Amino acid sequence: MSLVPRPSVTVRFSGTRSAEGPLNIGQYNILQWLRGESEQFFAAVAGELDVPAAAVVDDVAGALAVLVERHEGLRTTYVDGVEPQQFVHATGDLVVEVYAIEAADPQLVDRAGLARDLTRRLRAAGPYRIGELPVRAALAVLPGDASTSSASVVQAAVIGCSHLAVDYQAMEIIKREFADLIRDRAARPTGGPPIQPLDLVALERTPKALRHEESVLSYWKDRLSRMPQCLYPVPRVAAGNGSVAVELTSTAAGMALRAVTARTRTSRASVVLAAIGAVLSHRTGTRELVLPTLSANRFEPHLRQHVGSLAQLALITLTISDTTFDRLVRQAWAAVVDASRHGRYDVDRQRAVAGRVEHERGIMFDCEPLFNNLVIESGPAPGRATAPVPTPGELDAARRTTQLRRQPMPVGTTLIRFDLYGTDGQLRLGCWSSDTGRISDDEVESLLMAVENLLIAAGSGDLDARGIRGAIPLGPVQRGPGWLLVDGCWVEVAEVQRLLDDELAATGARVFAAVNGLPLVACLARTETVRTPEQAHAACMTALKAYPTAMTPQHYVICERVPDDPGDPAAWIDVCCQGSGRNGGTADTGLC
C-alpha cells in the first residue's frame, strides 16, 4: 500500500478578530525550550482525526475551517526576538495535503498504517517557519478522478500543530471537537467559548496571578532543595551511551487499573505513577522521590476547553514509606494536583531559582520529565465506586498477550523517562533510557515488567508494604563502597574524581571522602586560572551535567603546590596549613 500525491485542498477560514501582543507564560516556556532543542524531535504535536465512513474531503475541510475559526491559537503566527510577539490572523488559508491510496484492494486498507504514514509526511516538512500558520493537515483518500478530489472518500486524516500552538491535551480537545464537527457542523462545545491564548496575557498580570507566582517560586525552591541530582543513580554496566525506548502494551495491567481506580476513587494515571514510584524507590533505595513531570494546567474551569500550549514542568513529591498501595495511589493523586497548582510560572524566574539552588548544593538538575502523562482524564469518577475484580485466571490469560516493543531513539537529555500513552482497555507505558551504558535495554524492559507485575498484584486487592515489595520482581541496585549518600544524592566518588580530572587537570585535584566530617573534599594546587574555591566550583558546575552520578565537592582545599603524596588528604592539609598554626594557612580550607 502506498500514497500518491494529489492536488492539495485550500481551507479558507474567517475568524472574529485579528490581534497582536506578547506571548503568554505557556507559549514563552515552549519557545525557550525550542530554542535549545536542536533536533526539534518534539517540536510538533500530531494527532489522528476520527473520520466517519463515507466522509469526503469537503467534510473534513469544513470541520477544519470551523476549528481554526474557533481557536485563535490555530491561526496565530509568532515572531521571536528580545520581546517575542504573537499575531492572530482573522482570515487566511490552510493548505491540506491530499494523497490517493494505491492498494491491491482499497476495501482492506490499514487506517492505522495510513495515519502513521501521513504523520511522517507532515514531520518531513520540517519545523514551522516564521510567519507560517502553526497547523498542517494531510488526508488519504480512495483513488478516483483527480479533478474531483473534494468529493473523494477519506480513509485517514491527521493534523499536526506547532508545540507553540498546542500541547497534548489541546490536541485531544481538537480531536474531540473535530469528531463532533464532522458529524454536525453546528456542534459547539459545552461551557461557552474557550479563552484564547492572547487573552491569557492580561489574566497572568493581575495582582492575584502575580501573588500566586511568588508562592509557586517558593514551592520550587523548597522542592529543588530536596531533589537529588540523579533520579535513577545506577552504576555503569557497559561502554557507550546509546538510547532506546521500550513500549509495554498490557491488557492485564489495564484490567487491574480499572479495579484499583474504582477502589481508590482516583485517576488511572495516578495509579500508574504510584506503581512507577514504588518500583523506583525499591530499586534505588530512595524514600522521597521528587519527580519532574509535565502538567497541562487545565484545573481552572475557564481553561478546560483552551486550545493552546499550557504544558510546563511540575515537580511531584512522593514519599514511599511502609504504607499500603491504595494509600500510595491516593498520595500520588494529591501530589499531582499539588504539583499542577504550582506548574505555571515565568520560566526565566524559575530557572534563576533552580540555578541558585544548584550552585549552593553543587548539583545539576535533570529537569526533563521523568513521568510524562499523555492520557487525557477528567479526574476521579465518583459514580463508579466499584469495578469487577479480575480473577487470577483472567489476569493470567490476559498477561500472555503482553507485548514489549523496542525502538532506537535520539540521544536525550534525561537518563530515564516514563511516558504514559494509554490506559483505556490496555496499559500502554513507555520507558526511555538515554544512556544504555547505565540503563540497558534489558533493564528498561525489566522496569516495565515490574510496573505491570505490581499493578496486576494490586488489581486483586490492596497490598501492604511487604506485598508491594514482593510484587516487584527486581532487587535493589547493588552499589559498591565507592558510593556515598550526600545531601540526599547517591554519588560515585570515582565520577567526582573524573569530573576533577577533566575540568581541573592542571591543578592535580583529588577528591577525598569523609575528611574532618565533610563528605566530599577536593584538594588542588593553585593555578593562574583557578586561584580561589569559587573559581574551582564554577569550573566543576559548568561541566557537571555530563556526570549524572557525580556532584561537586562541598569543600575545596587550595594549596600553592601539590604535596609529595597527593593521595593522602593529610599531606594536602599539612602543605596548605604549614606555618599557619593550622588556622587557615594559604587557602580557604576550614580544615587547618
Side-chain angles (χ1 to χ4, degrees):
M1 183 174 61
S2 60
L3 295 177
V4 179
R6 294 276 294 274
S8 59
V9 172
T10 298
V11 176
R12 303 189 183 281
F13 59 85
S14 180
T16 57
R17 71 167 176 173
S18 60
E20 63 181 86
L23 305 190
N24 62 45
I25 283 175
Q27 292 170 324
Y28 184 69
N29 174 68
I30 294 295
L31 178 64
Q32 288 286 70
W33 170 68
L34 290 176
R35 284 170 173 169
E37 186 71 14
S38 59
E39 298 220 4
Q40 303 287 308
F41 187 76
F42 294 112
V45 180
E48 180 181 357
L49 299 174
D50 179 12
V51 180
V56 298
V57 172
D58 273 352
D59 297 325
V60 174
L64 287 174
V66 176
L67 277 175
V68 175
E69 290 165 0
R70 177 185 298 171
H71 299 291
E72 290 183 359
L74 302 182
R75 48 187 171 90
T76 295
T77 57
Y78 307 90
V79 174
D80 198 358
V82 178
E83 296 184 1
Q85 294 287 301
Q86 58 179 311
F87 298 86
V88 180
H89 302 270
T91 60
D93 296 333
L94 170 65
V95 177
V96 178
E97 301 299 328
V98 180
Y99 298 88
I101 303 165
E102 279 196 346
D105 184 350
Q107 302 305 314
L108 299 178
V109 297
D110 175 10
R111 290 192 175 221
L114 287 173
R116 287 193 295 270
D117 194 350
L118 291 173
T119 300
R120 282 193 295 268
R121 291 168 186 262
L122 286 184
R123 289 191 184 278
Y128 291 82
R129 294 172 288 276
I130 293 294
E132 179 185 7
L133 284 179
V135 183
R136 295 169 183 166
L139 313 178
V141 302
L142 291 177
D145 184 357
S147 64
T148 59
S149 60
S150 63
S152 298
V153 177
V154 178
Q155 295 295 291
V158 298
I159 186 171
C161 298
S162 166
H163 219 326
L164 275 168
V166 305
D167 53 26
Y168 283 94
Q169 290 214 29
M171 178 56 73
E172 291 300 316
I173 294 170
I174 289 171
K175 289 162 59 178
R176 184 171 62 244
E177 290 189 5
F178 176 88
D180 293 338
L181 285 165
I182 201 168
R183 290 167 176 83
D184 177 8
R185 195 74 59 81
R188 289 292 184 274
T190 58
I195 192 168
Q196 306 295 347
L198 191 57
D199 298 331
L200 285 180
V201 176
L203 291 177
E204 291 165 354
R205 296 178 178 180
T206 62
K208 179 180 178 181
L210 295 175
R211 288 194 300 272
H212 178 67
E213 184 174 16
E214 294 302 321
S215 70
V216 168
L217 295 175
S218 296
Y219 174 95
W220 271 85
K221 182 179 180 182
D222 172 73
R223 296 306 190 270
L224 292 175
S225 296
R226 293 144 53 183
M227 181 175 168
Q229 95 289 5
C230 180
L231 298 168
Y232 199 70
V234 293
R236 181 165 291 281
V237 295
N241 59 344
S243 187
V244 68
V246 181
E247 183 177 331
L248 167 82
T249 303
S250 172
T251 300
M255 296 164 62
L257 272 177
R258 287 194 295 273
V260 179
T261 301
R263 196 171 68 224
T264 58
R265 306 286 290 276
T266 59
S267 70
R268 294 187 292 271
S270 297
V271 179
V272 177
L273 174 60
I276 291 172
V279 170
L280 292 181
S281 177
H282 176 75
R283 188 86 173 108
T284 65
T286 304
R287 303 275 285 182
E288 183 181 64
L289 301 173
V290 183
L291 308 179
T293 186
L294 286 177
S295 172
N297 299 305
R298 284 174 172 79
F299 279 83
E300 298 169 273
H302 66 280
L303 294 176
R304 296 278 165 78
Q305 298 301 317
H306 176 73
V307 170
S309 210
L310 298 180
Q312 289 191 258
L313 198 68
L315 291 180
I316 295 172
T317 304
L318 283 179
T319 302
I320 313 296
S321 57
D322 290 332
T323 187
T324 70
F325 187 75
D326 286 5
R327 287 176 182 166
L328 182 59
V329 169
R330 294 187 183 100
Q331 182 198 147
W333 166 252
V336 168
V337 173
D338 190 41
S340 295
R341 286 174 177 156
H342 296 88
R344 293 193 69 200
Y345 46 81
D346 181 321
V347 67
D348 289 335
R349 297 188 67 194
Q350 179 265 348
R351 286 178 176 175
V353 169
R356 288 192 293 270
V357 175
E358 286 175 335
H359 188 84
E360 291 168 2
R361 296 182 63 195
I363 64 178
M364 188 67 65
F365 295 121
D366 181 1
C367 277
E368 287 297 308
L370 184 140
F371 178 68
N372 187 22
N373 175 24
L374 302 176
V375 175
I376 307 303
E377 294 183 75
S378 58
R384 295 179 301 178
T386 61
V389 177
T391 67
E394 291 172 332
L395 287 171
D396 287 342
R399 191 168 195 170
R400 287 193 288 272
T401 68
T402 294
Q403 295 181 341
L404 291 166
R405 182 171 61 88
R406 293 185 184 184
Q407 67 179 50
M409 295 291 284
V411 176
T413 57
T414 183
L415 187 59
I416 190 172
R417 153 180 181 152
F418 291 87
D419 292 285
L420 182 59
Y421 296 116
T423 59
D424 189 7
Q426 293 179 318
L427 171 66
R428 291 180 50 230
L429 180 64
C431 183
W432 177 9
S433 164
S434 67
D435 185 354
T436 52
R438 286 192 182 274
I439 307 172
S440 68
D441 307 44
D442 291 341
E443 170 88 350
V444 172
E445 289 193 358
S446 296
L447 289 170
L448 288 171
M449 296 302 290
V451 172
E452 181 197 42
N453 204 67
L454 178 54
L455 289 173
I456 291 173
S460 300
D462 195 9
L463 302 172
D464 60 15
R466 178 178 293 181
I468 292 173
R469 291 190 294 270
I472 300 174
L474 289 172
V477 172
Q478 298 300 310
R479 301 187 183 92
W483 288 77
L484 293 176
L485 185 61
V486 182
D487 190 18
C489 306
W490 280 108
V491 176
E492 278 185 291
V493 178
E495 280 294 279
V496 180
Q497 184 61 58
R498 192 164 72 89
L499 168 67
L500 299 180
D501 290 343
D502 293 345
E503 303 307 317
L504 299 174
T507 69
R510 293 289 184 273
V511 63
F512 300 100
V515 178
N516 289 14
L518 297 170
L520 290 171
V521 175
C523 296
L524 55 148
R526 196 184 311 272
T527 67
E528 286 300 317
T529 56
V530 179
R531 304 188 61 81
T532 66
E534 290 77 14
Q535 290 172 332
H537 187 61
C540 290
M541 288 297 298
T542 300
L544 187 59
K545 195 170 184 63
Y547 307 83
T549 56
M551 66 189 305
T552 70
Q554 282 77 49
H555 205 90
Y556 298 85
V557 177
I558 300 183
C559 300
E560 292 301 327
R561 63 177 178 84
V562 176
D564 295 332
D565 183 3
D568 180 8
W572 282 94
I573 294 171
D574 284 343
V575 168
C576 286
C577 300
Q578 194 172 30
S580 68
R582 305 185 79 78
N583 266 329
T586 58
D588 175 21
T589 70
L591 299 175
C592 298

